[in-house]
Amino acid sequence: MNNFTLPGNAAAVIRRLNDHGYEAYAVGGCIRNFLLGIEPKDFDVTTSATPEEMKRVFGDFRVIETGIKYGTLTVISDGMPIEVTTYRIDGEYTDNRRPENVTFTTKLAEDLRRRDFTINAMAYNPAVGIVDIFGGRNDLQKGIVRAIGDPDRRFEEDGLRILRALRFASCYSLKIELKTAESIHRNRQLLENIAGERIAAELSRMLCGNCCDVLREFYDVISVFLPEFAECRGFEQRTKYHDRDVLEHIVATVAAIEPEPHLRLTMLLHDIGKPAYFTLGSDGVGHFKGHAKGSMAVAERFLKRLKYGNEISEKVMKLIETHDIPIENRKNLIKRYMNRYGDEMFLDMIKVHIADDMGKAPGCRGRIETYHAAEKTAREVLAEQECFSLKDLAVNGNDMKKIGLAGRDIGTALNTLLELVIDEKCENEKSALLERAKHLDLRNGDLQE
Ligand code: ATP
Ligand code: MG
């Protein structure tokens, strides 16, 4: 820990507290991340000063009363927020979630004991060095997540810790220690008491880590809020495309896509409706016709229950809906998709198609080259600013009015012209388009062939 240097603003906060006779340490995630060789993103400070004492000590700082009741004050130091929390002991947990009340204490050890995992319960300041009462450093070296104290009790106090353990294991490629893991399996139903959005936040982070082993080993935990996940386990697909059961396919596709929450969630959910849509042909071959719809129905319920926001939910739903549509490297088809779904969505669709193929049997990944080629084409279309939507068309509604069109005919004319441009049957050039428009046979918005 010798070369652990606190950033100036955190050091200033600790020094100020020390100068006033209080203990203060950087604590939790920042120490863990430093030992893992990861740049800490924020520095939390724990101190023997009470909130009232802190307010006096930081009288000349900007201070936000983040959670006075729980002892937390945010001190703005050098323009950066630092959360400073009084050493505390958590009171009775009545709802498996939050202590009824907290008691402030002057002993660092008591504050560290209330924390969830040994790797999260280390403290540091420049004068004392690292304080590691529960062997967090050793556990990090061994690569394990271990609950502090009796795991059953700790998970009963706060069920979210179950998912936090999975998140830390995934994000830092750690294993969950045996007793802690057994307790997680035993207590998984406690997650039912946890607010959807808190589960969603941990799940998204967990999925964006190295999550394959966690998804496999703790499929029963995931199934508490996504029951259909357990049904995928051991569900053989009986087609030549797949050499894995549905759960193993899902896990492989999650790992094969970049760690963005909406993409990882899409892969988690894209085939989740498969078991419900399985039919066995007379030839013994399995079919999952319409399963994208089945997955959408499951996904919609799941995203609502966990209170995922509209933006991410809409993306995930669209990506599930389209995960099976044919993508070829034909410029006109690609432009139609980009017009219909938007260019960013189309690029995501390609990523989903590639990841989906990566999860198939080795002999059935032949389309990946095509998908890469389609992506290249799409990027060329964007770079060349080629027209693929009405807004890029060289004529607009006013131009159509000027040549005498009205009502629904205007939209039909513009869309017909767009099709001609996309199919390279007409230049995206005003006079050429007007000429074509004049010769369209339109009646009440219908194009007469
Ligand atoms: P990151 O900031 O990367 O998510 P972190 O460990 O800092 O990781 P936070 O949620 O910011 O996680 O929490 C800060 C610290 O507070 C943790 O390191 C841990 O010591 C403690 N802590 C957070 N949540 C809980 C909890 N549910 N139960 C017990 N201790 C917790
Ligand atoms: Mg943190």
Side-chain angles (χ1 to χ4, degrees):
M1 209 66 189
N2 296 337
N3 44 14
F4 182 38
T5 42
L6 291 170
N9 56 348
V13 165
I14 290 175
R15 202 177 321 114
R16 171 66 71 98
L17 283 158
N18 290 162
D19 288 348
H20 285 74
Y22 301 106
E23 292 179 13
Y25 294 83
V27 70
C30 61
I31 315 294
R32 177 199 65 222
N33 283 11
F34 169 76
L35 290 172
L36 284 166
I38 300 168
E39 178 122 25
K41 62 176 166 31
D42 48 21
F43 286 80
D44 298 328
V45 170
T46 186
T47 178
S48 59
T50 65
E52 288 310 314
E53 289 167 337
M54 279 194 257
K55 277 201 251 175
R56 276 200 295 280
V57 170
F58 293 106
D60 54 340
F61 283 63
R62 198 158 89 77
V63 164
I64 304 164
E65 301 198 1
T66 316
I68 283 285
K69 194 174 158 233
Y70 297 96
T72 304
L73 228 72
T74 302
V75 177
I76 313 294
S77 174
D78 279 348
M80 289 292 290
I82 303 262
E83 273 200 3
V84 189
T85 304
T86 307
Y87 294 164
R88 63 177 220 220
I89 303 168
D90 291 346
E92 275 294 294
Y93 282 75
T94 48
D95 58 355
N96 316 111
R97 219 169 59 211
R98 228 178 262 124
E100 273 291 274
N101 48 60
V102 301
T103 317
F104 300 136
T105 163
T106 51
K107 294 199 180 66
L108 173 65
E110 290 182 330
D111 180 81
L112 296 178
R113 186 167 295 116
R114 69 158 171 100
R115 294 171 186 272
D116 45 8
F117 304 107
T118 63
I119 60 171
N120 288 343
M122 290 177 276
Y124 168 85
N125 78 20
V128 179
I130 187 166
V131 179
D132 176 19
I133 302 171
F134 304 106
R137 196 174 193 168
N138 193 27
D139 282 349
L140 264 189
Q141 259 153 17
K142 288 198 286 188
I144 59 178
V145 180
R146 182 201 305 271
I148 294 174
D150 172 18
D152 287 346
R153 267 205 63 194
R154 303 313 310 281
F155 294 129
E156 274 163 29
E157 286 170 0
D158 179 4
L160 189 69
R161 289 174 186 156
I162 290 174
L163 213 47
R164 283 174 63 85
L166 270 52
R167 190 250 286 186
F168 292 121
S170 167
C171 292
Y172 306 118
S173 301
L174 308 173
K175 283 283 291 173
I176 300 181
E177 175 270 334
L178 186 66
K179 285 203 165 58
T180 304
E182 286 171 354
S183 176
I184 285 176
H185 289 296
R186 203 164 40 237
N187 289 296
R188 63 185 187 274
Q189 302 299 344
L190 291 170
L191 279 171
E192 286 171 4
N193 302 335
I194 304 297
E197 51 270 57
R198 296 179 79 212
I199 293 184
E202 291 295 337
L203 177 67
S204 290
R205 296 181 72 179
M206 188 268 273
L207 286 174
C208 288
N210 185 5
C211 61
C212 290
D213 289 345
V214 170
L215 289 174
R216 279 190 197 103
E217 187 178 345
F218 297 97
Y219 76 91
D220 55 335
V221 175
I222 307 300
S223 303
V224 173
F225 45 86
L226 184 60
E228 294 81 359
F229 195 56
E231 289 163 34
C232 296
R233 187 162 180 267
F235 200 98
E236 292 303 334
Q237 314 205 44
R238 306 215 209 170
T239 87
K240 64 178 193 295
Y241 304 111
H242 288 283
D243 56 350
R244 304 172 172 149
D245 65 31
V246 178
L247 187 140
E248 283 299 327
H249 168 69
I250 287 176
V251 169
T253 64
V254 169
I257 205 156
E258 63 194 74
E260 285 293 327
H262 72 288
L263 296 175
R264 293 259 160 135
L265 273 170
T266 298
M267 298 331 294
L268 178 72
L269 298 166
H270 79 287
D271 273 354
I272 199 88
K274 260 190 167 178
Y277 274 69
F278 179 76
T279 54
L280 194 61
S282 53
D283 50 359
V285 173
H287 299 279
F288 298 93
K289 213 169 156 24
H291 77 271
K293 287 244 167 337
S295 297
M296 285 170 74
V298 174
E300 193 173 18
R301 281 198 301 275
F302 167 84
L303 293 164
K304 270 215 180 83
R305 198 162 56 234
L306 295 200
K307 302 201 170 57
Y308 272 101
N310 284 344
E311 197 186 328
I312 188 165
S313 298
E314 279 165 21
K315 278 189 194 169
V316 170
M317 292 299 289
K318 197 43 91 188
L319 289 169
I320 297 173
E321 181 184 348
T322 55
H323 84 264
D324 248 356
I325 65 170
I327 291 181
E328 322 223 348
N329 184 25
R330 281 192 287 119
K331 208 180 217 180
N332 57 354
L333 177 76
I334 288 168
K335 285 182 179 175
R336 283 202 174 84
Y337 280 154
M338 286 165 68
N339 180 37
R340 181 155 169 203
Y341 299 112
D343 45 315
E344 269 181 44
M345 175 59 67
F346 179 65
L347 291 171
D348 279 351
M349 283 162 58
I350 292 180
K351 291 176 192 166
V352 169
H353 275 65
I354 292 173
D356 199 4
D357 264 23
M358 301 277 282
K360 290 181 183 159
C364 298
R365 298 175 191 167
R367 301 205 52 79
I368 291 181
E369 282 314 306
T370 306
Y371 299 144
H372 281 300
E375 181 193 342
K376 192 158 167 269
T377 304
R379 293 200 186 279
E380 278 163 13
V381 167
L382 290 170
E384 297 296 321
Q385 300 185 337
E386 290 184 39
C387 166
F388 60 84
S389 73
L390 286 182
K391 73 174 174 19
D392 307 321
L393 200 63
V395 290
N396 61 26
N398 279 334
D399 299 320
M400 296 299 100
K401 281 185 193 156
K402 280 187 204 146
I403 60 165
L405 296 184
R408 296 207 297 131
D409 285 349
I410 293 175
T412 306
L414 288 172
N415 280 310
T416 307
L417 295 174
L418 177 63
E419 295 285 308
L420 290 170
V421 169
I422 285 177
D423 284 331
E424 296 181 10
K425 290 179 179 155
C426 184
E427 287 281 316
N428 186 27
E429 192 270 320
K430 192 163 178 174
S431 58
L433 288 166
L434 286 175
E435 203 47 43
R436 295 297 279 258
K438 283 178 198 156
H439 294 98
L440 293 176
D441 186 7
L442 292 163
R443 266 171 239 155
N444 272 337
D446 289 328
L447 187 62
Q448 309 298 306
E449 297 297 339

